[in-house]
Amino acid sequence: MKKLCLAALVATTLLGCNAGDDIVEHGGIDVDNLSQTDIQNYANITADALTVVAKAAKDCAENLPVGNSNECYIPEIQGNIDIAVAQGRIKVEKQTDRVVIHTIEAIQFTTHNAITNGEIISLSLNDKTDNDYIMTMNNSNQVTFKGVLVNTAENDAKYWSTESLSPLTYQYNIKEVHPYITNGSAIISGKDKQHFTWSANENGDISVTR
């Protein structure tokens, strides 16, 4: 079953696996042996990918009545985000005080980030991957999330999960085409429960601490 889940994570939504945390626990990145530069790069990739999903969700839920849902493809974003989206689709559900977001098709993207070598990265925020994998955005644009990322193009795939510790606020500068997340923190976890924390300041700058 675990091998089937690994293959499904690369392809789509891990139907019926509920194994995301277990996959990371046994096949995740070796955080303790990463350099400070490497963990900064992992944090930057993760923050950028989450920002792309947050913007897509904000646009997808625009003018959506409470109690309704909508599905949207995740588009390319111009500006400061170093991500080229290959594919991805989300479902948003409008509630009174928040929007609930899941990836129907995991977002797949490439980036110039040094740790990826231009390979394809996938981000899944889907409760079929694991019961608590989700993103939410409240009416003040505060975002919480838990999901899993994988470097899908490697023969020995690398997995890591991320979970918000305190809500991050989604912001968008229309003039500069500049989406970013600010004023919050999250954790990145790898194998054997190894982890580090990343934070975004009021300008959207990402910092890391072990």
Side-chain angles (χ1 to χ4, degrees):
M1 172 60 77
K2 189 175 294 183
K3 289 183 179 179
L4 291 175
C5 288
L6 292 173
L9 179 57
V10 172
T12 177
T13 58
L14 279 173
L15 293 175
C17 289
N18 290 323
D21 285 347
D22 187 55
I23 290 169
V24 173
E25 173 72 11
H26 294 91
I29 57 175
D30 188 0
V31 171
D32 289 351
N33 286 314
L34 294 177
S35 68
Q36 193 70 14
T37 298
D38 285 341
I39 66 171
Q40 182 69 59
N41 284 332
Y42 274 107
N44 290 344
I45 287 176
T46 302
D48 280 351
L50 291 164
T51 301
V52 169
V53 174
K55 184 182 188 307
K58 181 73 173 177
D59 294 344
C60 191
E62 188 75 21
N63 299 320
L64 190 67
V66 172
N68 287 33
S69 63
N70 194 19
E71 296 182 8
C72 297
Y73 287 97
I74 300 173
E76 285 285 356
I77 293 181
Q78 304 299 317
N80 65 310
I81 298 293
D82 181 23
I83 279 182
V85 177
Q87 66 182 56
R89 190 158 56 101
I90 55 171
K91 179 178 180 179
V92 299
E93 301 172 37
K94 187 69 171 289
Q95 300 181 358
T96 302
D97 59 345
R98 65 177 186 165
V99 174
V100 176
I101 305 139
H102 288 107
T103 51
I104 301 172
E105 298 174 7
I107 174 176
Q108 295 188 26
F109 61 91
T110 57
T111 171
H112 294 100
N113 192 297
I115 62 170
T116 71
N117 296 317
E119 294 167 339
I120 298 172
I121 309 297
S122 177
L123 165 64
S124 177
L125 298 154
N126 191 300
D127 58 0
K128 294 181 176 64
T129 308
D130 218 302
N131 292 333
D132 55 355
Y133 280 12
I134 191 174
M135 177 183 280
T136 68
M137 182 184 294
N138 69 16
N139 294 338
S140 299
N141 291 336
Q142 289 184 313
V143 177
T144 62
F145 51 82
K146 184 177 182 183
V148 64
L149 297 96
V150 54
N151 190 337
T152 62
E154 294 191 354
N155 292 329
D156 183 18
K158 290 185 172 67
Y159 300 84
W160 67 99
S161 64
T162 189
E163 181 176 7
S164 53
L165 298 174
S166 60
L168 292 105
T169 301
Y170 168 76
Q171 300 189 49
Y172 183 60
N173 184 319
I174 296 176
K175 183 178 179 180
E176 298 179 4
V177 197
H178 183 74
Y180 52 106
I181 48 178
T182 65
N183 296 323
S185 62
I187 191 171
I188 284 177
S189 299
K191 71 175 186 178
D192 301 330
K193 302 188 186 302
Q194 299 172 17
H195 63 273
F196 64 91
T197 300
W198 61 271
S199 303
N201 66 13
E202 65 276 8
N203 298 316
D205 299 321
I206 305 300
S207 60
V208 294
T209 54
R210 290 186 184 268

